[in-house]
Amino acid sequence: MKLAVSNISLPFFDHTKELFQLTALGFSGLEVAPSKVWHDTWQGLSSVEVESYRRQAEKAGLNIIGLHSLIFDQPQLGMFKGDDVRKQTLDFFTHLSAV
């Protein structure tokens, strides 16, 4: 059986050494909450930063298996807060999928 863990269990923003510890504990997959890695997941997040994090995880022996808590750091967003907010939320999801 392959085990995965969420990066929510790790310290905010800089948890590279903990990635290696996860592998030593038997985990092979990592589910990523972007706001645990980057301070600003909308205006301040680039594909270069995402690629760097993925490479760090892979170097530690982990495969990124999914994303979650996508709007945790964007409390103004939501799917059920009206049409304008829903459009902004979908724009944000599009941004995340692009990076």
Side-chain angles (χ1 to χ4, degrees), residues 40-46 49 74 92 95:
D40 181 354
T41 57
W42 198 333
Q43 304 302 320
L45 180 58
S46 71
E49 292 172 296
Q74 306 291 328
F92 179 66
H95 159 73

Side-chain angles (χ1 to χ4, degrees), residues 15-79:
H15 49 252
T16 304
K17 72 178 180 185
E18 287 83 359
L19 296 177
F20 288 92
Q21 293 172 350
L22 292 173
T23 306
L25 292 171
F27 293 100
S28 61
L30 182 66
E31 190 170 273
V32 176
S35 60
K36 286 291 284 198
V37 183
W38 300 285
H39 292 277
D40 181 354
T41 57
W42 198 333
Q43 304 302 320
L45 180 58
S46 71
S47 58
V48 171
E49 292 172 296
V50 172
E51 177 69 19
S52 175
Y53 186 76
R54 183 186 60 79
R55 275 185 272 140
Q56 290 173 14
E58 289 176 350
K59 187 175 181 181
L62 298 167
N63 291 311
I64 295 178
I65 61 165
L67 301 174
H68 65 97
S69 302
L70 299 178
I71 59 173
F72 180 77
D73 66 334
Q74 306 291 328
Q76 75 282 8
L77 299 179
M79 296 303 291

Side-chain angles (χ1 to χ4, degrees), residues 83-95:
D83 292 341
D84 290 341
V85 174
R86 183 174 25 260
K87 182 187 178 323
Q88 291 173 4
T89 302
L90 293 173
D91 289 346
F92 179 66
F93 290 161
T94 300
H95 159 73

